[in-house]
Amino acid sequence: MLRRRLQVLAALALASGFVPVPPRTVRAPPQNMKKPGKPTEEGPLPGLSEENYAVLPAILGIGVISPILLVAQAFLPAPTAAPPKKKGAKASAKAPTMSVALNLT
């Protein structure tokens, strides 16, 4: 049995030795990056449009509030489960059992 395994491994090793080498991949020539255009507006951050200036405070607010909310979870008490509701005679009368609904009894 061991001899047969060795023969199979030797045949696989010989067969893998004659596998053709995969062709080399052709790389595209490097592309030059575009130079940024001149800013159209003046301000503390040149190049941003008015819409970007309007969105910037909201993004900063989210960046400040999110770590605070993550840390606040450690200080909030765990939610308690509501006590189970007691089933009364009225609840059983309103909801018929499956056997009554299908007339199995």
Side-chain angles (χ1 to χ4, degrees):
M1 187 69 164
L2 182 61
R3 184 177 174 137
R4 183 68 180 157
R5 287 185 184 174
L6 287 175
Q7 288 175 347
V8 170
L9 287 175
L12 288 174
L14 281 174
S16 66
F18 294 105
V19 173
V21 178
R24 292 186 177 214
T25 57
V26 178
R27 291 189 175 198
Q31 297 179 352
N32 295 330
M33 296 180 65
K34 288 184 176 181
K35 292 182 180 179
K38 294 182 180 179
T40 57
E41 300 163 3
E42 299 296 325
L45 300 172
L48 290 180
S49 66
E50 289 297 322
E51 184 177 332
N52 289 341
Y53 278 115
V55 172
L56 193 60
I59 300 297
L60 290 175
I62 290 171
V64 170
I65 290 175
S66 59
I68 293 171
L69 292 175
L70 287 172
V71 172
Q73 291 178 358
F75 298 106
L76 295 175
T80 57
K85 296 181 179 178
K86 296 180 181 179
K87 293 184 179 179
K90 292 181 181 179
S92 63
K94 290 182 180 177
T97 61
M98 190 62 116
S99 62
V100 173
L102 297 176
N103 295 328
L104 296 176
T105 56

